[in-house]
Amino acid sequence: PSEEVTLVVPTLQTLIRVGGGARDVEIHGVGFRDTAPTYMEKWGVPSGGDWALYPGGAVTLNGTSNVSLMQCNFSRVDGNAVYIGGKNRDAAVIGCDFNWVGDSAIALWGESDEWDATAGAYPNNTRIVNSTFRELGINEKQSSAVFIAKSARTLIERNVMFNLPRAAINVNDGAMGGHLIRHNLIFNTCRESGDHGAINTWDREPFL
């Protein structure tokens, strides 16, 4: 007997977008999947070096305060899962699961005028806690569980990260700083590269 086959053709690259000064938003227990790939879209270079990034994700935050993703599942999204771009304060990703993600699971990318970031248009005090990350970088090999560029005071704590093509955590520049990475279990990284370790920190350039 023939088996029934379900064919999914994704058309959306972003499923939820929060911005415009929104604050005190909680997205709890939602499953996200089947977003369209972004590798043929317009990418940018966040700061010095060879890393490039698509400025968006299945969930995209830009211009928010105190937005939380709690106990959500991201599976089979073909771009970034969560994108935190521009000015965001106190965003949190807590108890989420990321698996079979096309690009990076979480990407933070602030904005600046060349080396001048005094306008404050960057993620500040982001918390990424108690989450699991596995089978990432299916489409884009220069990817990570958490990518940080032009951001301040990111807490990455008590997460499990494994089965990635490159580093689990990538800090792309020396902007702002104050990041705290502790008590994470990270293994089986750099499976498709060998030029660094599980945590990659560049500190390529200073910012105001």
Side-chain angles (χ1 to χ4, degrees):
S2 61
E3 295 182 2
E4 183 177 337
V5 176
T6 300
L7 179 64
V8 177
V9 181
T11 59
L12 295 177
Q13 296 169 338
T14 298
L15 302 178
I16 292 181
R17 185 184 305 273
V18 185
R23 59 184 301 126
D24 302 326
V25 176
E26 181 178 309
I27 302 170
H28 194 148
V30 178
F32 299 90
R33 61 171 295 156
D34 301 324
T35 55
T38 58
Y39 48 77
M40 296 299 290
E41 301 297 332
K42 184 177 180 180
W43 287 41
V45 178
S47 43
D50 59 351
W51 274 69
L53 193 70
Y54 174 74
V59 173
T60 298
L61 309 181
N62 197 321
T64 71
S65 178
N66 195 31
V67 173
S68 299
L69 294 166
M70 303 183 67
Q71 298 179 2
C72 294
N73 179 273
F74 294 82
S75 181
R76 304 288 179 180
V77 292
D78 282 340
N80 299 314
V82 177
Y83 177 75
I84 304 174
K87 184 177 182 179
N88 291 275
R89 299 292 181 266
D90 304 310
V93 179
I94 301 173
C96 295
D97 181 53
F98 299 85
N99 59 85
W100 298 100
V101 174
D103 296 344
S104 291
I106 302 174
L108 290 77
W109 182 1
E111 300 171 0
S112 67
D113 181 9
E114 298 293 339
W115 44 265
D116 184 353
T118 55
Y122 53 81
N124 192 347
N125 198 35
T126 303
R127 293 179 296 134
I128 301 167
V129 182
N130 289 341
S131 296
T132 57
F133 304 80
R134 61 183 178 85
E135 273 67 50
L136 309 181
I138 304 303
N139 298 327
E140 172 57 38
K141 301 311 174 184
Q142 200 163 36
S143 55
S144 54
V146 181
F147 173 87
I148 300 171
K150 296 181 184 176
S151 301
R153 303 183 186 92
T154 307
L155 172 65
I156 305 173
E157 181 178 40
R158 297 194 303 274
N159 302 285
V160 179
M161 305 172 177
F162 61 99
N163 292 356
L164 299 92
R166 285 180 70 82
I169 299 170
N170 186 76
V171 181
N172 202 61
D173 51 52
M176 282 67 82
H179 309 301
L180 180 58
I181 301 170
R182 65 185 181 187
H183 307 311
N184 299 283
L185 175 60
I186 304 174
F187 61 96
N188 212 25
T189 64
C190 302
R191 296 194 300 173
E192 299 178 56
S193 60
D195 54 339
H196 49 67
I199 299 176
N200 192 19
T201 59
W202 289 101
D203 196 26
R204 290 182 172 111
E205 57 192 283
F207 284 78
L208 289 176

